[in-house]
Amino acid sequence: MVFDSYAFLAFFALVLPVFHLLRRWLRLQNAFLLAASCVFYGWWDWRFLFLMFGTAAVDYFAALGMERASTPARRKHLLLLSLASNLTVLFVFKYFDFFVASALAAGDRLGVTLNVPLLHVVLPVGISFYTFQSISYAVDVYRREFRAERDPIAYFTFVCCFPHLVAGPIQRPSHLLTQLKHSRVVTRAHVREAVWLLAWGFFLKECVADALAPFVALAFREGQTSGWWTILGTLAFTVQIYCDFNAYSIIARGAGRLLGLEFIWNFKQPYFSLSLQDFWRRWHISLSTWLRDYLYIALGGNRLGPKRTYVNLLMTMVLGGLWHGAAWNFVAWGVLHGGALAIERFAGERFRGRSRPALVGWATTMAIVFVSWWLFRCQSWAMMVDTFTSLRHLEWTTDHTRLLGAIVSASAPVVGVEVFQWRRGDLLAPLTLARPVYSGLVAVLLFGVYVMFKRFDYGFIYFQF
Amino acid sequence: MDSSISSSSEPIRLRVLARELVREAWAPVAVAALLVAASTALFVHDRGEPAVTLDDHIVAAQRAHAREHRPADLVVVGDSSALMGVDPVLLGQRLNLRVESYALLAWAGPAAWGAVAAEAGAAGPPKVAVLGVNAAAVGLSDGRYHEKGTEHLIVEGTRDWPRFPWTAGRDRTYELVVDPLMRFPLPGSYGVAYGYPDVLRARLMENHGGLIDPNRLAAGPAAPVRAQPSPAFLGRLPRLWSRLEGLGVERVMVVSTPVPAARCDAQTEHELAGVRAAIAATARPGWVTALDLPVCRPDADFATATHLAAPGRAAFTVALAEALGGVGR
């Protein structure tokens, strides 16, 4: 099920009252949330519920075993079992065909005939999100940062809780599982926040991200020969991917608020970043902090000297790129971000004490992010070559004026709201507006959603990851 | 603002949550509802031609084409399989005739097909008409023809378009506010192939009413096509015939547009032959002739299950030209 569907609206309208009717029975409420989450996920393909529950069950028992284990070696073995279970599933469903196809292609070039069959399996929706969430649980228990959860209902609800299940934010056990163990608290402020987030989230998805999607589809195609289409199409994609993913994250947060759960902010105005490091503190925060805590630091972080730090940054970002999808453009995306982060770090150390003008920092950061989104969106080698070589043809036509107008029109409300949030230093700043102004703003957002709802019907980009 | 409606130890009551939701959302929802009501009231009587879907753009383009009143010796009418399946330029070259296609969409219906051709033919009446239909188009029910109200308006010859109360505000706001602001390209692969609606319109004009479906048929097994003409379809044909007769068309040739080989068997061929005979039987004897071209074509020739792709379209047009022979000269 997807948020921007009539099915979800009906589903949530049904789940919310029943969920709160069960307020006196916490375990029953969790069980109901778990059942609702199964319906939400199974709406796409119920068979993959077994896969999700299978890996989650391994983590559940492994964590209990780690807590009871008498020796560090046994704890480690149980952690490895948990990691192996999650990574095997991820590898088989997401990466096997990619690596085999790449090996076959390399073999062909070298004149070596390999005979390995491809699996051609369907990629389960949200697999990267829920496996990473499960891994964080197992590692936290192993590190003794979190106690193994004995209540299977609470644990499985943590893994499967529907608002964040298929596209995050990736929750940490210390944040969400703790909430699931206590009665839900909803305040007036939470309800107010939820109303704003749901209205703003649906507006971002229907009126901005999906409105730009047809232009992006035109720009990113094989045989595309206009340089300005490539440049403006990448700009449109820069706005589209942010609004698409941010929309999902804040709708999830809004829905969670009404259920008495708080999900973390996944985006904090990333396009206002003045450095790439700053960008990664603001973009897909649940993934960037996951990569930092479970990968970068595990690799040694910055504790092993400058050179190793640069290598760690690069490796972390390449794996972060591969997390998005099994394709070489995501690897290239990771190399660009990792390399640029390493250079930024080197420059920061080399020129310590010298400040960089904010505008230069912002422009440099955005230039790197912009190029990285071009890599990210190119779905084939041919598309990459065609769109790159199109840059030789930079004749401005009326189509480009139309496209620029569309980008400006679609982005204007986003820029307006984000500048306001930035100035107030508060992501919920619109809630501080005078009541009539706020009501008018939300009404316009709702009317925009009414006009644009399902008009183009592009799926959430991050569903494919 | 932050006053708690639930103490930290006590879960929220449903009634309290409902009250708070209403309290927080009533004003914006009420204003949004007013905007919806106002836009509906404002636009429900607006009769401008819709420009929301690809179908809308195709109908609008073909009607604009008809209003150019181009002289023609042969016209193509029918559903979208004829629109995408017959190349009027190539057919004209092969037959050495002036050919225009006024084929529309299945749900516009035979009466509307005839009305558009009649409007186009005012300047130069064609001698021959080719009616191209596919199996799905001949089986439509009355409800499908009435669904958009397009048939009624085309047949009545008005340029006014119906607006349905439940979508008038939404669609017209989109057409008048959002679309001019954003200037959206066409959806999906049509966007990739044609870009913007005005380009599609220009291409259709250039190609004498023909269009190319830019999709590719996905490979895979499928059930064989079955064809049974519906009473709703057959009942509308006399209105097509009367329009064509009014134009002075001397002969009408009926052809079944091709079916992908994976969905085509002997019974498909047999049933489509029956459809052509049934169509011819609704006209005065001898005036309508069924053309028995091979129906099954390789899957690779197709853009969709009913539309030919560019190479298949060319091959089918050549076959059609050969079957038509010296007709119209």
Side-chain angles (χ1 to χ4, degrees):
Chain A
M1 204 179 286
V2 290
F3 285 159
D4 60 334
S5 66
Y6 295 109
F8 175 75
L9 297 179
F11 165 84
F12 195 61
L14 197 69
V15 165
L16 187 63
V18 177
F19 178 81
H20 284 290
L21 277 174
L22 301 172
R23 68 187 185 280
R24 292 186 189 284
W25 306 281
L26 181 62
R27 289 198 75 206
L28 190 60
Q29 201 180 39
N30 282 342
F32 174 72
L33 187 55
L34 179 59
S37 300
C38 291
V39 172
F40 180 87
Y41 191 80
W43 200 265
W44 166 67
D45 192 332
W46 60 270
R47 291 169 301 176
F48 287 108
L49 282 169
F50 294 105
L51 185 72
M52 182 167 63
F53 278 100
T55 53
V58 171
D59 297 327
Y60 173 75
F61 289 112
L64 287 176
M66 276 189 254
E67 200 151 271
R68 289 189 200 125
S70 49
T71 62
R74 179 152 175 76
R75 287 173 61 79
K76 201 167 206 168
H77 289 149
L78 286 165
L79 174 66
L80 289 174
L81 171 72
S82 163
L83 292 177
S85 142
N86 283 298
L87 296 177
T88 302
V89 165
L90 205 52
F91 182 80
V92 168
F93 282 90
K94 192 162 179 174
Y95 299 108
F96 181 83
D97 280 2
F98 165 66
F99 285 116
V100 170
S102 301
L104 291 175
D108 267 0
R109 287 183 175 234
L110 297 172
V112 181
T113 307
L114 300 168
N115 194 14
V116 188
L118 295 175
L119 295 178
H120 296 297
V121 286
V122 176
L123 180 67
V125 166
I127 190 169
S128 302
F129 290 93
Y130 70 71
T131 49
F132 267 39
Q133 192 160 305
S134 277
I135 289 172
S136 72
Y137 170 73
V139 173
D140 283 4
V141 171
Y142 173 76
R143 289 174 175 171
R144 298 188 198 281
E145 290 171 2
F146 193 79
R147 300 218 48 182
E149 179 54 57
R150 288 173 197 287
D151 177 0
I153 293 175
Y155 169 73
F156 285 110
T157 309
F158 156 71
V159 176
C160 310
C161 187
F162 74 84
H164 70 73
L165 176 56
V166 290
I170 302 164
Q171 299 298 314
R172 300 293 181 87
S174 56
H175 186 74
L176 182 60
L177 195 44
T178 311
Q179 293 181 60
L180 290 167
K181 298 291 286 179
H182 296 96
S183 296
R184 317 286 174 247
V185 177
V186 181
T187 66
R188 182 168 293 159
H190 293 163
V191 175
R192 198 158 196 226
E193 180 185 331
V195 170
W196 162 254
L197 291 177
L198 292 172
W200 182 233
F202 277 106
F203 180 86
L204 285 180
K205 172 64 180 160
E206 301 298 318
C207 304
V208 184
D210 280 6
L212 288 173
F215 298 100
V216 175
L218 263 183
F220 285 89
R221 62 193 157 96
E222 290 173 18
Q224 202 276 103
T225 55
S226 161
W228 280 115
W229 263 103
T230 300
I231 293 167
L232 294 172
T234 306
L235 186 60
F237 182 64
T238 303
V239 179
Q240 184 205 354
I241 192 169
Y242 171 52
C243 292
D244 191 276
F245 195 17
N246 192 21
Y248 193 93
S249 299
I250 64 176
I251 292 170
R253 186 179 164 93
R257 275 298 191 204
L258 290 178
L259 295 168
L261 299 168
E262 190 205 2
F263 300 137
I264 66 164
W265 289 106
N266 218 8
F267 294 89
K268 291 184 177 172
Q269 297 152 330
Y271 293 151
F272 290 179
S273 305
L274 301 180
S275 70
L276 209 54
Q277 191 182 28
D278 190 22
F279 176 81
W280 280 106
R281 288 188 185 127
R282 298 170 177 280
W283 178 273
H284 200 172
I285 295 165
S286 64
L287 176 68
S288 59
T289 51
W290 194 101
L291 291 171
R292 181 197 64 200
D293 295 346
Y294 299 102
L295 191 59
Y296 178 69
I297 290 174
L299 289 169
N302 57 4
R303 301 186 305 275
L304 305 173
K307 281 184 187 165
R308 185 58 195 268
T309 302
Y310 306 145
V311 172
N312 288 344
L313 279 170
L314 195 63
M315 284 173 68
T316 302
M317 293 314 296
V318 168
L319 289 170
L322 266 178
W323 174 89
H324 287 89
W328 288 109
N329 64 316
F330 294 123
V331 175
W333 178 87
V335 168
L336 175 62
H337 272 285
L341 276 168
I343 292 168
E344 190 177 272
R345 192 178 182 92
F346 170 77
E349 283 166 2
R350 187 94 166 72
F351 306 106
R352 195 185 296 272
R354 286 193 222 168
S355 65
R356 184 172 59 170
L359 187 63
V360 172
W362 177 81
T364 311
T365 305
M366 288 307 111
I368 295 162
V369 169
F370 180 84
V371 174
S372 77
W373 288 139
W374 169 72
L375 286 169
F376 195 95
R377 185 58 178 77
C378 283
Q379 291 162 332
S380 66
W381 178 247
M383 189 185 288
M384 199 176 279
V385 171
D386 288 351
T387 50
F388 184 73
T389 52
S390 74
L391 296 173
R392 287 181 302 186
H393 309 288
L394 288 169
E395 295 85 27
W396 188 269
T397 69
T398 50
D399 278 3
H400 303 126
T401 310
R402 288 175 176 188
L403 176 54
L404 186 61
I407 296 169
V408 171
S409 302
S411 311
V414 187
V415 173
V417 167
E418 295 222 339
V419 166
F420 182 66
Q421 290 170 324
W422 181 265
R423 286 189 166 185
R424 296 284 176 102
D426 180 6
L427 290 172
L428 294 173
L431 296 180
T432 62
L433 288 166
R435 191 80 183 184
V437 178
Y438 168 76
S439 295
L441 174 62
V442 175
V444 169
L445 298 180
L446 293 177
F447 184 66
V449 172
Y450 164 75
V451 171
M452 295 297 287
F453 192 69
K454 309 299 279 179
R455 184 74 69 186
F456 294 105
D457 207 12
Y458 285 87
F460 283 97
I461 294 171
Y462 267 68
F463 266 32
Q464 60 190 296
F465 307 139
Chain B
M1 187 186 94
D2 288 328
S3 63
S4 176
I5 55 173
S6 168
S7 75
S8 58
S9 58
E10 202 178 302
I12 190 172
R13 283 173 175 276
L14 177 60
R15 203 177 50 196
V16 179
L17 176 72
R19 193 187 65 208
E20 288 306 316
L21 262 174
V22 170
R23 207 182 95 92
E24 285 304 323
W26 81 265
V29 169
V31 176
L34 272 176
L35 287 171
V36 171
S39 63
T40 303
L42 196 64
F43 297 131
V44 75
H45 298 299
D46 186 316
R47 299 293 174 184
E49 200 162 349
V52 175
T53 64
L54 177 66
D55 285 357
D56 293 334
H57 291 303
I58 288 174
V59 171
Q62 201 61 295
R63 293 189 85 200
H65 172 217
R67 288 194 290 269
E68 288 202 340
H69 306 299
R70 297 180 184 178
D73 305 309
L74 184 151
V75 291
V76 179
V77 293
D79 60 31
S80 61
S81 67
L83 172 74
M84 312 283 187
V86 178
D87 180 350
V89 178
L90 182 59
L91 189 63
Q93 288 166 355
R94 288 274 171 166
L95 296 175
N96 199 21
L97 295 173
R98 293 170 300 175
V99 176
E100 297 290 332
S101 173
Y102 296 104
L104 284 169
L105 305 165
W107 51 260
W113 303 342
V116 170
E119 181 172 9
K127 291 180 188 166
V128 181
V130 172
L131 169 63
V133 283
N134 69 66
V138 301
L140 295 187
S141 64
D142 257 331
R144 277 295 274 138
Y145 292 119
H146 293 147
E147 204 171 280
K148 296 195 177 187
T150 316
E151 179 193 42
H152 171 75
L153 288 162
I154 294 176
V155 172
E156 295 300 314
T158 171
R159 291 186 189 184
D160 289 352
W161 223 263
R163 291 282 166 188
F164 299 108
W166 53 92
T167 57
R170 175 177 143 82
D171 286 348
R172 205 62 182 144
T173 304
Y174 171 81
E175 289 162 22
L176 295 177
V177 180
V178 184
D179 200 37
L181 207 62
M182 297 290 291
R183 305 293 301 273
F184 289 108
L186 292 161
S189 47
Y190 283 88
V192 173
Y194 292 100
Y196 292 90
D198 52 352
V199 178
L200 178 123
R201 201 177 278 222
R203 291 271 191 91
L204 183 133
M205 297 286 187
E206 283 165 23
N207 292 304
H208 298 265
L211 273 182
I212 294 172
D213 187 329
N215 291 293
R216 301 300 302 174
L217 179 67
V225 169
R226 296 288 174 257
Q228 287 299 326
S230 67
F233 175 76
L234 293 175
R236 280 167 168 76
L237 284 171
R239 286 193 279 172
L240 169 62
W241 306 144
S242 68
R243 291 283 196 171
L244 297 179
E245 277 184 312
L247 273 177
V249 169
E250 293 164 9
R251 287 186 74 185
V252 180
M253 317 300 281
V254 184
V255 63
S256 296
T257 49
V259 175
R263 298 156 201 249
C264 194
D265 59 13
Q267 196 180 336
T268 309
E269 299 255 17
H270 175 73
E271 288 190 3
L272 283 171
V275 166
R276 293 193 295 276
I279 290 172
T282 60
R284 63 180 160 85
W287 187 57
V288 176
T289 307
L291 278 180
D292 293 327
L293 284 174
V295 169
C296 307
R297 294 198 73 88
D299 287 7
D301 280 358
F302 286 81
T304 68
T306 52
H307 296 174
L308 287 161
R313 175 180 181 254
F316 176 65
T317 303
V318 169
L320 178 64
E322 283 169 10
L324 287 169
V327 76
R329 287 207 189 97

